[in-house]
Amino acid sequence: MVDNAPVATGRKATERDAVLTWVAAGRRVDFHSLRMVFGTWLAVSGAHPRVAMELMRHSDLKLTMKIYTDAAQLPLVASVAGLPSFEVRGSETAPQRVAIRKAANC
């Protein structure tokens, strides 16, 4: 509960519980923003998109990946950095070729 927040009763309490609206630091937090955080965290953690779709109980993968995943939070640079090297064979120095041959024979 937020300090100094009015306590709602009756219908207002039900509406407050249903909407889950909380205002803090000028930002609105509601049910859908919490779902977006959940979807984004699943994506960042490496969960398969189909798993995220099922956990969020969506019927369409596009809804999960386009609406409920914040692309600005995804580790795009780290994902590209994790790709294999695309160096052309033959451009290695002699010591590198020896190391490659040794590694291939292991």
Side-chain angles (χ1 to χ4, degrees):
M1 180 189 250
V2 178
D3 293 331
N4 300 326
V7 177
T9 59
R11 182 170 178 221
K12 290 286 186 187
T14 305
E15 290 172 1
R16 175 176 279 181
D17 292 342
V19 175
L20 293 175
T21 300
W22 173 45
V23 177
R27 299 184 81 182
R28 180 180 172 166
V29 177
D30 60 19
F31 180 74
H32 293 287
S33 63
L34 294 174
R35 286 180 61 82
M36 186 172 191
V37 168
F38 180 60
T40 301
W41 284 357
L42 285 170
V44 169
S45 75
H48 191 280
R50 176 72 178 162
V51 171
M53 184 185 101
E54 290 296 325
L55 288 171
M56 297 184 77
R57 299 178 53 92
H58 288 157
S59 59
D60 184 10
L61 185 59
K62 188 164 51 170
L63 178 66
T64 305
M65 301 313 294
K66 292 283 190 181
I67 304 298
Y68 286 103
T69 302
D70 183 3
Q73 302 300 317
L74 298 177
L76 303 178
V77 174
S79 296
V80 172
L83 292 174
S85 175
F86 294 106
E87 291 182 23
V88 177
R89 286 283 221 197
S91 64
E92 304 93 5
T93 63
Q96 289 173 329
R97 283 193 291 273
V98 171
I100 290 171
R101 284 189 204 116
K102 284 182 180 179
N105 290 333
C106 291

